[in-house]
Amino acid sequence: MTNILITGAARGLGFELARQFAEQGERVYATCRNPQAAEALRNVAEASEGRLTVHRMDVGDMASVKACAEELKDVDIDILINNAGVWGGLDTQTFQNMDYDNWARELNIMLMGPFRVMQNFLPHVRRGHDKKIVSITSQTAAHAYDHLIGYSYATAKAGLNRAMTALAQEMQDEDLIFTLLHPGWIKTDMAGDVADLEPADAARDNIVAIRNLTKEDSGKFRKWDGGIHPW
Ligand SMILES: NC(=O)c1ccc[n+]([C@@H]2O[C@H](COP(=O)([O-])OP(=O)(O)OC[C@H]3O[C@@H](n4cnc5c(N)ncnc54)[C@H](OP(=O)(O)O)[C@@H]3O)[C@@H](O)[C@H]2O)c1
């Protein structure tokens, strides 16, 4: 059995990853910022016979991250998935019209958030078997992506990418695996119905990609289908 911690598991991709990993018999620590409001997740937990538990963690708040790390201090984590994310909408993150408060919020949640989580949960992952840290990033962070981007979102994810490659380099002599995953364009609240993939299908493929990661993938940028993503 693999111990998996997922951030932002209340809905969207995080919810599906949590649900499916538990269905596959793994032990899932599903974290979210408001467990009270996460009814679907709590229902999965209730039906899981203890394989999935719900824990409060707001990745934007250091005290909350520290409290969750302390609550789970005796748990060895095999796979840590930085999934929580926010999208403030394209209209308010263009060159002409930038909402700087939203930019700060996106940086806090999608760049500093995973950093806080990794800082506080590294001891748990070091004790785990797989020692995988997967950060869900976005194709829009890639220089190779040549469509219109939301500047706040894309730069937050690009910063995350750089932090992950630096961590992979800094800890290359350990068994730790730091990998970036573009999860596909998914029909969640974030992307809406115009996107390509159903959340359940995307989660299934992302799970296969995560299971297949090896030390060779540390510092790499991969896609939901297991392929390499161009930088
Ligand atoms: N959907 C796509 O096409 C797509 C493409 C590329 C990358 N991604 C990335 O995939 C990940 C999942 O996105 P999604 O599509 O599932 O989006 P989503 O449906 O909007 O879900 C986002 C999740 O993040 C959580 N979250 C937001 N702020 C948080 C915080 N401060 N602390 C903890 N959790 C927080 C939300 O929790 P609440 O319910 O509490 O708000 C929610 O569970 C994100 O990192 C996103 O950037 C998505």
Side-chain angles (χ1 to χ4, degrees), residues 52-152:
L52 187 150
T53 46
V54 182
H55 307 268
R56 180 185 306 280
M57 178 160 58
D58 180 340
V59 304
D61 175 26
M62 185 61 117
S64 173
V65 174
K66 279 193 181 302
C68 188
E70 175 64 19
E71 181 190 343
L72 300 178
K73 66 174 187 295
D74 296 328
V75 175
D76 302 347
I77 295 173
D78 300 310
I79 305 177
L80 167 61
I81 304 177
N82 287 311
N83 165 78
V86 282
W87 163 246
L90 188 59
D91 291 352
T92 52
Q93 46 181 297
T94 65
F95 183 61
Q96 296 299 336
N97 185 30
M98 174 57 74
D99 177 340
Y100 284 87
D101 290 338
N102 177 63
W103 200 349
R105 183 176 76 111
E106 295 202 5
L107 288 168
N108 186 38
I109 293 170
M110 294 188 288
L111 168 56
M112 295 182 221
F115 205 85
R116 277 182 200 103
V117 172
M118 291 187 283
Q119 266 189 330
N120 284 280
F121 282 91
L122 196 61
H124 309 59
V125 177
R126 280 195 167 120
R127 293 191 310 261
H129 291 298
D130 298 27
K131 302 187 200 311
K132 292 178 183 174
I133 299 182
V134 176
S135 288
I136 303 296
T137 184
S138 163
Q139 61 187 353
T140 65
H143 297 107
Y145 187 79
D146 59 1
H147 303 286
L148 187 65
I149 58 162
Y151 280 87
S152 338

Side-chain angles (χ1 to χ4, degrees), residues 8 11 13 33 58-59 83 85 136-137 153 157 184-186 188:
R11 57 193 167 91
L13 176 64
R33 58 182 164 174
D58 180 340
V59 304
N83 165 78
I136 303 296
T137 184
Y153 182 83
K157 293 294 197 185
W185 195 31
I186 313 164
T188 60

Side-chain angles (χ1 to χ4, degrees), residues 191-204:
D193 284 342
V194 290
D196 288 334
L197 304 168
E198 293 299 331
D201 296 337
R204 188 195 58 227

